[in-house]
Amino acid sequence: MINHPDFTVEPWCLRAVDLDLTVLAQTESIFALSNGHIGWRGNLDEGEPHGLPGTYLNGVHELQTLPYAERGYGYPESGQTIINVTNGKLIRLLVDDEPFDVTYGEVLAHEWRLDFAGGVLHRRTDWRSPAGSTVRVSSTRLVSLTQRAIGAIRYSVEALGRPVRVVVQSELVANEELPASNGDPRAAADQAPLISRDHAAEGTRAGLVHATARSGLYIAATMDHAVDGPSATLVESESFPDLGRVTVTTELQPGQRLRLDKFAAYGWSRTRSLPSVHAQADAALTAARQTGWDSLLAEQRTYLDEFWTRADIALDGDPEIQQAVRFSLFHVLQSSARAEGRAIPSKGLTGPGYNGHCFWDTEAYVLPVLTQIAPEAAAHTLRWRHSTLPLATARAAQLGLRGAAFPWRTIHGEECSSYWPAGAAAFHINADIADAVVRYVDTTADQEFERAVGCELLAETARLWASLGHDSPGGPFRIDGVTGPDEYSAVADNNVYTNLMAQQNLRAAADALGRHPGVARDLGIDEEETARWRDAAKRMYIPYDEALAIHPQADGFTDHQIWDFDATAADQYPLLLHFPYFDLYRKQVAKQADLVLAMHRQGDAFTSDQKARNFAYYEQLTVRDSSLSACTQAVMAAEIGHTRLAYDYLAEAALMDLENLEHNTRDGLHIAALAGSWIALIEGLAGMRNHHGALTFAPRLPDALTRLAFTITTGEQRLSVDISATAATYTLKDGAPLHITHHAQPVTLTSDKPITRPITTAPQTLPAPTQPHGRAPSRRSLPRRPENREPVSNR
Amino acid sequence: MINHPDFTVEPWCLRAVDLDLTVLAQTESIFALSNGHIGWRGNLDEGEPHGLPGTYLNGVHELQTLPYAERGYGYPESGQTIINVTNGKLIRLLVDDEPFDVTYGEVLAHEWRLDFAGGVLHRRTDWRSPAGSTVRVSSTRLVSLTQRAIGAIRYSVEALGRPVRVVVQSELVANEELPASNGDPRAAADQAPLISRDHAAEGTRAGLVHATARSGLYIAATMDHAVDGPSATLVESESFPDLGRVTVTTELQPGQRLRLDKFAAYGWSRTRSLPSVHAQADAALTAARQTGWDSLLAEQRTYLDEFWTRADIALDGDPEIQQAVRFSLFHVLQSSARAEGRAIPSKGLTGPGYNGHCFWDTEAYVLPVLTQIAPEAAAHTLRWRHSTLPLATARAAQLGLRGAAFPWRTIHGEECSSYWPAGAAAFHINADIADAVVRYVDTTADQEFERAVGCELLAETARLWASLGHDSPGGPFRIDGVTGPDEYSAVADNNVYTNLMAQQNLRAAADALGRHPGVARDLGIDEEETARWRDAAKRMYIPYDEALAIHPQADGFTDHQIWDFDATAADQYPLLLHFPYFDLYRKQVAKQADLVLAMHRQGDAFTSDQKARNFAYYEQLTVRDSSLSACTQAVMAAEIGHTRLAYDYLAEAALMDLENLEHNTRDGLHIAALAGSWIALIEGLAGMRNHHGALTFAPRLPDALTRLAFTITTGEQRLSVDISATAATYTLKDGAPLHITHHAQPVTLTSDKPITRPITTAPQTLPAPTQPHGRAPSRRSLPRRPENREPVSNR
């Protein structure tokens, strides 16, 4: 996208200056608005043409029986799928007697602009009807970050040439017809997932209440409008089971304008009654109507001002990446800001990809970022995990294990992975959740969270590891037959990442319960149990290949045949679509960082030499068929001194969706990869690590970048870091003195007293690592396209 | 069954002297008749009540889309399922105005008798109708071993008390209603798999022709009758799309009898036209009608006389096992005799279990037996495999491999396994096929077979191994990531069984092509390629655990946690129904013989000490949740000197279906386990091994058995062996002198000059191996139930 000719390079917005229908579905994902509770894809106001219509409510799903030709014990019986709920963003327009439709008539001008600072999507289209009437349609759309149940649109239509009669139909539409989805047998069932339960319309308001057939949810969508038009403007409303409509009719003289402020409110529940859910949406609607459009817009900006103050990253030298990074952070915020009590799906609420499921990416890639820039959102996600503990402990029991086994993929909390070797066997997700807890508590020192949420998550995951692993006779503690992060291996013994993360999990649980003896008592955990955890952690087996002097990613990995990369054509990637699992699993080829991720997350377990050798070894085997890989490779490349390579990987992470690198942005954005652009910059180029709350930095910029400046939050403190080629300046914005290190040198910061430390050139020149044939990251070259410096916002 | 009070112990038949409807479905499987082409379950003549109606034609199947919630490259898209074809064995009876039905009125007497020597199923029921009329219904049923397309029934009804009016309806019924099959989503589609294409009736004949919807087969079933009754007997016929009927009406005085000889003929084809398939069935029918009932019966007996002359096993001391062994051999013959060009399904044609698929059991368990007692049937099966080579080479190519990858489960030849770790990854099936080729050629010296069929099978499987394995840097040849025989492990490196069998495969292929250079040329195989095979075989990696001094069944196996057998309750077996694959795979627990099977099939690769230690080790881990295991454990127990244990395992194999040990005999018999009773006796107690055609024996009987006598065929020669507690007598029946060994001593046999050699007592008393808690085989104790010595046949 960002190198599509319609898109401009600007620091605080993403702008398309024309309408290219061939990339419409991706455009809709990129321009999606969300607050983590409601998701509105960037569909055109008038609904059609569309790539993929999409309106989502976090947690609203339908159930499907998972089909198996051959069943196995413990296979999940029921799958969960995100559904397209009532579309509240539809505003249709009739110009004289012709429907406004960009595929007919003539588009004279079109612009879309996603404003990262204002949190709105602007749209403007000048259109001439087949009969020759010309109108300008403008809209500004937001999904409110301050009023969780609300989406709103200011819509206006203006006569440009001759007088026109216009009819505006603002609608709520349930059970929209969706484009066919590749013959998936489940698609049919999803075509009309909503069953009408109630509908009403009066004056400028209309509302629909639906239920789902199997998941048993009520979903209410209501809308109200403020209309500003010529005096002869008529307003009518009507409702049907799947349609609520407010119709506004008027005649516009040239230059005259009809303006409609549309407020849409959503409510849903599994437990409350229909009247209660309906009333909840109505109440939110009334509040929003009272707030009014201008105040909603102002609240949105204030919320984002606060966010950017804590989270912004400024980058000099590569305006495309500057834009991509703000785009990334904006969407990471959107995916999580008001998710309160629900998951962060891997696509956020930007599309139906991966069935709307939440995976390990949330804790392993998104929460490390949120913890440093929006810690309250990180806490909410972990509280959601905590709320699913009864399901996770039941799942563990079903699998014959103690503690909690969190699902590989889910919406509501039950395991929905139907292919267990890649899914349910990836037990590392439990340690990833524990790691997110540790990281959050270490960073925020939120003792109340640790007591109420963290301890139990740590304890139940520790119990899982204690029962999943076993003591070899007189030897180490082994964890056999699990799947690590790399999905091109499965069901292996002693995956290094898993074992190291489990080791941390076991120790952290014992430590936390030591701090909260009351919780330990409540959970029935005595000192004998925590001593067993510490002992298992101490004896955790970490395989090492002495002959190659590297760590195998799991037992036996380095004995396997190396994938024949030279014989693999460019169009055979991603490999999983062209080769059977059996062949991928038994050969040395990595879909994504696995041992390299272990070195990032558990760096203390490796010497510098091991890191360099391991990195070089796995670089040759890693094809990055997963969007999660590039950022991790950026981090370790930077740590080892391959700064230029780190920059290339940063660019790949940051441009994942803007350049549609995985060819599936149409189904939604890769939220974890977007978070990865923060990781690549802050943990990569700035070399930040958070060792139990103690921050260390080892910044070093690639030649192209002249400045990297960012702010992070660590508990009560905000720290700004401003890095140039030769120096880094650290400024503590608030709070008590902070001890950090800069390239291993201790630095003590006090409030608002910037300290600058020099950056020496990299001490070593290691041979550049090589990647599999054809799989090196794109070499980032500058300058690309000129930056558009037209001010589009007040930032 | 055999210990069910209705069943008697007799040497040459299986007789039930009452009708117990609670075991009806198992009874139908046990009394099934088949010639390998047609299968008729032992359903009551009148069709109802039934456990599971079943009429099968070998190869007749329907296709289903295999469902996957998460798809993967190379997953089979289409499954094949055996279908219940037109039922030609139905003969309904109306007595006065009431249907003859054993669930109404009163059964005065009932007997079923399956005659192993005559190859027929006798049935007799004396029945009093609710209104008080009494009749005797007798039938004798056969599926002809000499006329492949023919099943026939002699049916008679006799008035026992007062005069009765009887109406006999002899039917062909298509699309019989089947009992619901456990909510399987595919069941609905199978309820009416046959689409009518033609039907006709005239005089005593009727015929139906159907097609299948997706597999594109035509199936013709026709019938004709010879009627013998009082002079006033009326015969009518009619036909409908799914029903052909010949109705015979008469009045019977007390003692008077109506007799009907019914001949049913079947034909089917995927390639021929409808008229051609119809004509084929009609022609077979006419031939059978001309042969007549008495001659069909005589042909059947002659065929079986010949079979038993080559195959019989006589056993003194355990009449139940004697009966079970003849039952086993009879069904093994039935599954294969006239399969010509088709597979031997794992259930034969006795039921729909495993979807009617053929697995590795055929080559690994059934063909070793057939090769020694009915070698022409073994050759037919291998010719069928050979005919599927184009599919197997296409499958290999799809998987990125050279050569042929035969399917784990199939009817027609395409892979139908939808869970690849247990199915498609079990590449050993290719070496099992190669082993069957080697065994057949070594035994029969059938050079023409080797040239036309064997060489290509050996070569394409050798090519598979050469491409599936790889050279470790400077080290051995490894085969990683495959599944061995034990289905409680999967996707492991260097499974010993697989590697040893692949080693033999590679060498045998090179040897065979050396004998047939013309074939090698035709296949494009040069000496460089065969040299590579020999080299790979030579360097084949066989893992060994030095610390435990045993062979791990695959790399890393002995490092895994040992299954907690003490914590596993009796009702948690079979484990796969109560524990997830992930837990089974990562622990030391064996569903079935794997390393122990390697010691049986590739005994030369192990020292005697290794065999004893390995056997003891794996006995502790093997739960025998597979019906294939007991016979192999019997063989190795016998070889090592645990004769009593071998006897227990023999009994388990022989009684698998008669005692319904796996609780699924209702779905069909376990043909490979039945073949396993031969293996347990001949390769177990008699200690026979076939080393490239050279036979060795090491007989030793358990105390309970006073005699074991059997005949085997080896090429042109028949060898009879008669073993007592103290000696074995070897008699060559025909052919050139034969060199064998008896307990490692060479013996040269010449025609009809019996040689007797002593058997010493077992030299050693090893500690008895132990099995997992609760999983020791039943201790065979004698005497059981008295033998019924009533003569039922002329043997």
Side-chain angles (χ1 to χ4, degrees):
Chain A
M1 284 307 198
I2 209 170
N3 51 15
H4 187 285
D6 290 352
F7 284 76
T8 63
V9 180
E10 303 183 51
W12 280 102
C13 73
L14 185 69
R15 188 196 304 256
V17 295
D18 206 345
L19 179 64
D20 181 348
L21 296 179
T22 65
V23 293
L24 186 57
Q26 293 105 287
T27 309
E28 291 166 349
S29 297
I30 285 171
F31 286 146
L33 293 177
S34 176
N35 59 10
H37 175 60
I38 302 169
W40 277 359
R41 281 173 64 82
N43 304 117
L44 287 164
D45 298 297
E46 54 274 20
E48 293 169 40
H50 55 230
L52 191 61
T55 303
Y56 310 107
L57 290 173
N58 195 343
V60 171
H61 66 278
E62 187 47 303
L63 303 175
Q64 275 93 19
T65 299
L66 290 173
Y68 301 99
E70 298 176 51
R71 275 169 196 283
Y73 172 89
Y75 282 15
E77 308 236 321
S78 181
Q80 301 163 7
T81 303
I82 191 172
I83 56 176
N84 182 33
V85 299
T86 306
N87 186 351
K89 57 194 183 325
L90 263 178
I91 302 179
R92 302 188 202 272
L93 172 64
L94 199 80
V95 177
D96 292 332
D97 54 357
E98 292 172 311
F100 175 96
D101 184 331
V102 296
T103 63
Y104 299 101
E106 191 183 348
V107 175
L108 305 173
H110 175 84
E111 183 175 298
W112 255 319
R113 180 161 54 83
L114 178 64
D115 178 356
F116 310 145
V120 293
L121 176 67
H122 299 288
R123 174 261 177 109
R124 201 188 65 214
T125 307
D126 294 349
W127 181 76
R128 184 185 295 127
S129 75
S133 301
T134 309
V135 292
R136 166 168 298 171
V137 170
S138 309
S139 73
T140 299
R141 184 190 285 181
L142 64 81
V143 172
S144 177
L145 293 160
T146 56
Q147 301 196 22
R148 187 168 177 257
I150 300 298
I153 305 169
R154 166 159 285 188
Y155 180 91
S156 73
V157 50
E158 181 183 349
L160 290 187
R162 61 196 191 200
V164 292
R165 162 172 300 279
V166 297
V167 182
V168 174
Q169 296 168 306
S170 173
E171 297 189 341
L172 298 171
V173 173
N175 293 316
E176 286 177 295
E177 202 172 307
L178 297 177
S181 60
N182 323 324
D184 186 323
R186 295 163 301 169
D190 294 348
Q191 279 292 350
L194 301 172
I195 301 162
S196 175
R197 286 283 187 259
D198 196 6
H199 59 92
E202 196 192 352
T204 54
R205 294 177 80 124
L208 303 179
V209 185
H210 287 83
T212 56
R214 295 177 297 279
S215 55
L217 312 179
Y218 285 125
I219 300 142
T222 60
M223 63 175 177
D224 199 353
H225 302 79
V227 179
D228 178 14
S231 52
T233 301
L234 283 178
V235 179
E236 290 175 346
S237 62
E238 55 190 334
S239 73
F240 305 93
D242 283 354
L243 175 66
R245 180 185 284 157
V246 171
T247 304
V248 182
T249 314
T250 197
E251 271 197 51
L252 298 176
Q253 297 304 314
Q256 207 173 15
R257 205 172 58 175
L258 171 67
R259 198 177 74 191
L260 195 70
D261 292 343
K262 177 178 189 175
F263 304 91
Y266 289 94
W268 73 272
S269 177
R270 179 198 292 263
T271 52
R272 289 199 303 285
S273 68
L274 186 152
S276 157
V277 173
H278 200 161
Q280 161 191 0
D282 277 344
L285 184 63
T286 302
R289 183 78 168 78
Q290 190 172 29
T291 305
W293 171 261
D294 291 331
S295 296
L296 267 183
L297 206 64
E299 287 178 2
Q300 189 85 338
R301 175 165 295 274
T302 304
Y303 186 102
L304 282 162
D305 281 348
E306 169 67 14
F307 170 70
W308 288 116
T309 304
R310 293 189 297 170
D312 188 33
I313 298 178
L315 207 63
D316 287 350
D318 191 334
E320 281 183 11
I321 300 297
Q322 170 68 79
Q323 180 183 39
V325 166
R326 290 212 180 97
F327 169 84
S328 298
L329 293 177
F330 179 72
H331 273 295
V332 169
L333 176 73
Q334 286 207 125
S335 72
S336 59
R338 304 302 305 275
E340 299 160 20
R342 300 286 160 196
I344 303 176
S346 62
K347 303 287 186 186
L349 297 173
T350 65
Y354 289 119
N355 294 61
H357 290 163
C358 169
F359 294 75
W360 74 299
D361 344 0
T362 296
E363 276 83 1
Y365 290 84
V366 182
L367 295 202
V369 179
L370 289 177
T371 297
Q372 301 289 173
I373 65 174
E376 63 289 351
H380 278 306
T381 303
L382 292 171
R383 283 182 205 281
W384 168 70
R385 283 289 188 196
H386 184 259
S387 76
T388 68
L389 257 173
L391 298 170
T393 49
R395 175 69 174 163
Q398 184 189 32
L399 298 177
L401 298 166
R402 295 194 65 215
F406 284 97
W408 179 244
R409 53 189 303 171
T410 193
I411 293 175
H412 181 262
E414 295 87 351
E415 178 64 83
C416 294
S417 174
S418 66
Y419 175 58
W420 75 264
F427 283 95
H428 65 81
I429 188 172
N430 299 287
D432 300 323
I433 293 168
D435 182 57
V437 169
V438 170
R439 190 180 296 269
Y440 174 80
V441 173
D442 283 349
T443 304
T444 62
D446 185 343
Q447 286 301 307
E448 173 50 25
F449 173 91
E450 182 173 77
R451 191 195 58 73
V453 174
C455 281
E456 195 173 0
L457 283 172
L458 291 171
E460 296 299 347
T461 48
R463 278 179 160 156
L464 179 84
W465 294 117
S467 72
L468 189 64
H470 71 105
D471 300 315
S472 325
F477 187 80
R478 298 168 51 97
I479 301 173
D480 293 334
V482 302
T483 299
D486 167 28
E487 294 178 0
Y488 287 169
S489 290
V491 192
D493 297 341
N494 300 301
N495 173 264
V496 170
Y497 174 84
T498 303
N499 285 19
L500 286 174
M501 294 293 283
Q503 183 180 53
Q504 166 185 281
N505 193 159
L506 289 160
R507 285 178 176 149
D511 290 349
L513 292 178
R515 288 190 293 272
H516 298 277
V519 179
R521 258 195 315 280
D522 292 346
L523 297 176
I525 294 166
D526 56 19
E527 285 189 11
E528 190 186 321
E529 185 167 4
T530 56
R532 278 203 306 275
W533 297 348
R534 288 189 198 281
D535 179 57
K538 188 175 170 190
R539 291 184 297 106
M540 187 68 70
Y541 176 53
I542 306 300
Y544 189 70
D545 184 326
E546 298 284 352
L548 293 174
I550 59 138
H551 286 82
Q553 119 184 350
D555 269 352
F557 182 79
T558 47
D559 293 328
H560 293 169
Q561 191 170 7
I562 292 174
W563 189 266
D564 190 348
F565 296 106
D566 291 340
T568 307
D571 61 4
Q572 291 182 300
Y573 291 91
L575 298 177
L576 69 95
L577 296 185
H578 302 93
F579 299 93
Y581 283 127
F582 111 86
D583 209 27
L584 295 166
Y585 289 176
R586 72 205 194 87
K587 289 184 178 164
Q588 291 192 63
V589 52
K591 186 181 183 192
Q592 63 207 101
D594 185 306
L595 194 280
V596 172
L597 183 63
M599 296 196 295
H600 173 201
R601 292 294 157 75
Q602 302 295 332
D604 296 348
F606 303 85
T607 67
S608 298
D609 281 355
Q610 284 173 349
K611 283 178 182 170
R613 284 196 307 269
N614 286 339
F615 184 75
Y617 189 84
Y618 287 95
E619 277 293 286
Q620 302 171 72
L621 302 176
T622 306
V623 296
R624 297 194 319 291
D625 282 347
S626 162
S627 66
L628 302 178
S629 198
C631 68
T632 306
Q633 288 172 270
V635 170
M636 290 312 299
E639 177 173 339
I640 287 157
H642 304 297
T643 312
R644 176 66 218 230
L645 180 61
Y647 179 44
D648 295 340
Y649 281 134
L650 154 67
E652 187 171 296
L655 299 174
M656 186 60 64
D657 286 310
L658 288 172
E659 296 198 345
N660 194 16
L661 296 178
E662 299 231 324
H663 312 293
N664 58 1
T665 295
R666 55 163 284 130
D667 297 327
L669 303 180
H670 298 78
I671 299 299
L674 297 178
S677 60
W678 185 97
I679 294 171
L681 278 167
I682 310 306
E683 307 200 80
L685 299 186
M688 187 184 99
R689 294 288 184 281
N690 186 330
H691 286 78
H692 302 298
L695 296 177
T696 64
F697 294 87
R700 188 161 284 123
L701 299 185
D703 295 342
L705 299 184
T706 52
R707 177 174 175 244
L708 165 62
F710 60 93
T711 302
I712 59 165
T713 302
T714 172
E716 300 298 303
Q717 298 150 310
R718 268 187 315 133
L719 172 64
S720 284
V721 182
D722 199 325
I723 302 163
S724 71
T726 54
T729 301
Y730 300 89
T731 308
L732 186 65
K733 294 296 177 87
D734 1 61
L738 182 67
H739 304 283
I740 64 166
T741 73
H742 169 87
H743 281 293
Q745 302 301 313
V747 179
T748 297
L749 300 171
T750 52
S751 190
D752 278 326
K753 298 213 176 108
I755 294 185
T756 298
R757 287 284 182 273
I759 298 172
T760 56
T761 52
Q764 53 179 340
T765 5
L766 288 169
T770 58
Q771 291 79 27
H773 175 72
R775 303 304 289 175
S778 290
R779 194 89 172 132
R780 185 92 192 134
S781 58
L782 289 171
R784 310 267 282 197
R785 294 165 46 248
E787 186 176 5
N788 181 347
R789 293 219 168 257
E790 178 195 345
V792 294
S793 76
N794 67 347
R795 298 195 71 89
Chain B
M1 286 307 199
I2 207 167
N3 51 16
H4 186 286
D6 289 351
F7 284 76
T8 62
V9 179
E10 303 184 51
W12 280 102
C13 72
L14 185 70
R15 186 196 304 256
V17 295
D18 205 344
L19 180 64
D20 181 349
L21 296 179
T22 65
V23 293
L24 186 57
Q26 293 104 286
T27 308
E28 291 166 349
S29 296
I30 284 170
F31 287 146
L33 293 177
S34 177
N35 60 9
H37 176 60
I38 301 169
W40 276 359
R41 281 173 63 81
N43 304 118
L44 287 163
D45 298 296
E46 54 275 18
E48 294 172 39
H50 56 230
L52 192 60
T55 303
Y56 310 107
L57 290 173
N58 195 344
V60 171
H61 66 279
E62 186 47 303
L63 304 175
Q64 275 93 19
T65 300
L66 290 172
Y68 301 100
E70 298 176 50
R71 276 171 194 282
Y73 171 88
Y75 282 17
E77 308 235 323
S78 182
Q80 300 163 6
T81 303
I82 191 172
I83 55 177
N84 182 35
V85 300
T86 307
N87 185 350
K89 58 194 182 323
L90 263 178
I91 302 179
R92 303 187 202 271
L93 172 64
L94 199 79
V95 177
D96 292 331
D97 55 358
E98 292 171 310
F100 175 97
D101 183 330
V102 295
T103 63
Y104 298 101
E106 192 183 350
V107 175
L108 304 173
H110 176 83
E111 184 175 295
W112 256 318
R113 181 159 54 84
L114 178 65
D115 178 356
F116 311 145
V120 293
L121 177 66
H122 299 287
R123 173 261 176 110
R124 200 189 63 216
T125 306
D126 294 350
W127 181 75
R128 184 185 297 124
S129 77
S133 300
T134 308
V135 292
R136 167 169 297 172
V137 169
S138 309
S139 74
T140 299
R141 184 190 286 181
L142 64 81
V143 171
S144 177
L145 293 160
T146 55
Q147 301 196 23
R148 186 169 177 257
I150 299 298
I153 305 169
R154 167 159 285 189
Y155 180 91
S156 73
V157 51
E158 180 182 352
L160 290 186
R162 62 196 188 200
V164 291
R165 162 171 300 276
V166 296
V167 181
V168 174
Q169 297 168 304
S170 174
E171 297 189 340
L172 299 171
V173 173
N175 293 316
E176 285 178 295
E177 200 172 311
L178 297 177
S181 62
N182 322 324
D184 186 323
R186 294 163 302 169
D190 294 349
Q191 280 293 348
L194 300 172
I195 301 163
S196 173
R197 285 281 189 260
D198 196 4
H199 59 91
E202 196 192 349
T204 55
R205 294 178 82 122
L208 303 178
V209 185
H210 287 82
T212 56
R214 295 177 296 281
S215 56
L217 312 180
Y218 285 125
I219 301 140
T222 60
M223 62 175 178
D224 199 351
H225 302 79
V227 179
D228 179 12
S231 52
T233 302
L234 282 179
V235 178
E236 289 175 347
S237 63
E238 55 190 333
S239 73
F240 305 93
D242 283 353
L243 175 65
R245 179 186 286 158
V246 171
T247 304
V248 182
T249 313
T250 196
E251 270 197 51
L252 297 175
Q253 296 304 312
Q256 206 171 14
R257 207 170 55 171
L258 170 67
R259 198 176 72 191
L260 194 70
D261 290 343
K262 176 177 189 175
F263 304 91
Y266 288 94
W268 73 274
S269 176
R270 180 199 291 263
T271 52
R272 290 198 303 284
S273 68
L274 186 154
S276 155
V277 173
H278 200 161
Q280 160 190 0
D282 277 343
L285 183 64
T286 302
R289 183 79 168 78
Q290 190 171 29
T291 305
W293 172 259
D294 291 331
S295 297
L296 267 182
L297 207 63
E299 287 178 2
Q300 188 85 339
R301 174 166 297 273
T302 304
Y303 187 101
L304 281 162
D305 281 347
E306 168 67 13
F307 170 70
W308 289 115
T309 304
R310 293 188 298 167
D312 189 32
I313 298 178
L315 206 64
D316 287 349
D318 191 334
E320 280 183 10
I321 300 296
Q322 170 67 81
Q323 180 183 38
V325 166
R326 291 214 179 97
F327 169 84
S328 298
L329 294 177
F330 180 71
H331 273 295
V332 169
L333 176 73
Q334 286 208 124
S335 73
S336 60
R338 305 302 306 273
E340 297 160 22
R342 300 286 160 196
I344 302 177
S346 63
K347 304 286 185 187
L349 297 174
T350 65
Y354 289 118
N355 294 63
H357 289 163
C358 168
F359 294 76
W360 73 300
D361 343 359
T362 297
E363 277 82 0
Y365 290 85
V366 182
L367 295 203
V369 179
L370 289 177
T371 296
Q372 300 290 171
I373 65 175
E376 63 290 349
H380 277 306
T381 303
L382 292 171
R383 285 183 203 279
W384 168 70
R385 283 289 188 196
H386 185 258
S387 76
T388 68
L389 257 174
L391 297 169
T393 49
R395 174 70 175 163
Q398 184 190 34
L399 298 177
L401 298 166
R402 295 192 67 214
F406 285 97
W408 179 245
R409 54 190 301 171
T410 194
I411 293 175
H412 180 262
E414 296 87 352
E415 178 64 83
C416 295
S417 173
S418 66
Y419 175 58
W420 74 264
F427 284 95
H428 66 80
I429 188 172
N430 298 286
D432 300 324
I433 293 168
D435 182 56
V437 168
V438 170
R439 190 179 295 270
Y440 174 80
V441 172
D442 282 349
T443 303
T444 63
D446 184 343
Q447 286 302 305
E448 173 50 24
F449 173 90
E450 181 172 77
R451 193 196 56 73
V453 174
C455 281
E456 194 172 2
L457 283 172
L458 291 171
E460 296 298 349
T461 48
R463 278 179 160 156
L464 179 84
W465 295 116
S467 73
L468 189 65
H470 72 105
D471 300 315
S472 326
F477 187 81
R478 296 168 53 96
I479 301 174
D480 293 334
V482 303
T483 299
D486 167 29
E487 295 178 0
Y488 287 168
S489 289
V491 191
D493 297 341
N494 301 300
N495 173 263
V496 170
Y497 175 83
T498 302
N499 285 20
L500 286 173
M501 294 292 284
Q503 183 180 54
Q504 166 185 283
N505 193 160
L506 289 160
R507 285 179 175 148
D511 291 347
L513 292 179
R515 289 191 292 273
H516 299 274
V519 178
R521 258 195 315 279
D522 292 347
L523 297 175
I525 293 167
D526 55 19
E527 285 190 10
E528 190 186 321
E529 186 167 3
T530 56
R532 278 202 307 275
W533 297 347
R534 288 189 197 281
D535 179 57
K538 188 175 171 191
R539 292 184 297 105
M540 188 68 72
Y541 175 54
I542 306 300
Y544 187 71
D545 185 325
E546 298 285 352
L548 294 173
I550 60 138
H551 287 82
Q553 106 182 7
D555 269 352
F557 182 79
T558 47
D559 293 329
H560 292 168
Q561 191 169 6
I562 292 175
W563 188 266
D564 190 348
F565 296 106
D566 292 339
T568 308
D571 62 3
Q572 291 181 300
Y573 291 91
L575 299 177
L576 68 95
L577 296 185
H578 302 93
F579 298 94
Y581 284 127
F582 112 86
D583 210 26
L584 295 167
Y585 289 175
R586 72 204 193 89
K587 289 183 177 164
Q588 291 193 63
V589 53
K591 186 181 182 191
Q592 64 208 101
D594 185 305
L595 194 279
V596 172
L597 183 62
M599 296 196 296
H600 173 202
R601 292 295 156 75
Q602 302 295 332
D604 296 348
F606 302 85
T607 67
S608 298
D609 281 355
Q610 284 173 348
K611 283 178 181 169
R613 283 196 306 269
N614 285 341
F615 184 76
Y617 189 86
Y618 287 95
E619 277 293 286
Q620 301 173 70
L621 302 175
T622 305
V623 296
R624 296 192 319 290
D625 282 347
S626 163
S627 67
L628 301 179
S629 197
C631 68
T632 306
Q633 287 171 272
V635 169
M636 290 312 299
E639 177 173 340
I640 288 158
H642 304 298
T643 312
R644 173 68 215 225
L645 181 61
Y647 178 45
D648 296 338
Y649 281 134
L650 155 67
E652 187 172 297
L655 299 174
M656 187 61 64
D657 286 311
L658 287 172
E659 297 198 345
N660 194 16
L661 296 178
E662 297 231 324
H663 311 294
N664 57 2
T665 294
R666 55 164 283 131
D667 298 326
L669 303 180
H670 299 78
I671 300 298
L674 297 178
S677 61
W678 185 97
I679 294 171
L681 278 167
I682 309 307
E683 307 201 81
L685 298 186
M688 187 185 98
R689 295 286 184 282
N690 186 330
H691 287 77
H692 302 296
L695 297 176
T696 65
F697 294 86
R700 188 161 283 123
L701 298 185
D703 296 342
L705 299 184
T706 51
R707 177 174 175 243
L708 165 61
F710 60 92
T711 301
I712 59 165
T713 301
T714 174
E716 300 298 303
Q717 300 150 308
R718 269 186 316 133
L719 171 65
S720 283
V721 182
D722 200 327
I723 302 163
S724 71
T726 54
T729 301
Y730 301 89
T731 309
L732 186 63
K733 295 294 177 88
D734 1 60
L738 183 67
H739 303 283
I740 64 166
T741 74
H742 168 88
H743 280 292
Q745 302 300 316
V747 179
T748 298
L749 301 171
T750 51
S751 192
D752 278 326
K753 297 211 176 113
I755 294 185
T756 298
R757 287 284 180 269
I759 298 173
T760 56
T761 52
Q764 54 180 336
T765 3
L766 287 170
T770 59
Q771 291 79 25
H773 174 72
R775 303 305 288 176
S778 290
R779 195 87 174 133
R780 184 89 194 138
S781 58
L782 290 170
R784 309 267 283 194
R785 291 160 51 247
E787 186 174 3
N788 181 346
R789 294 225 168 253
E790 176 193 346
V792 293
S793 77
N794 66 350
R795 298 193 72 91

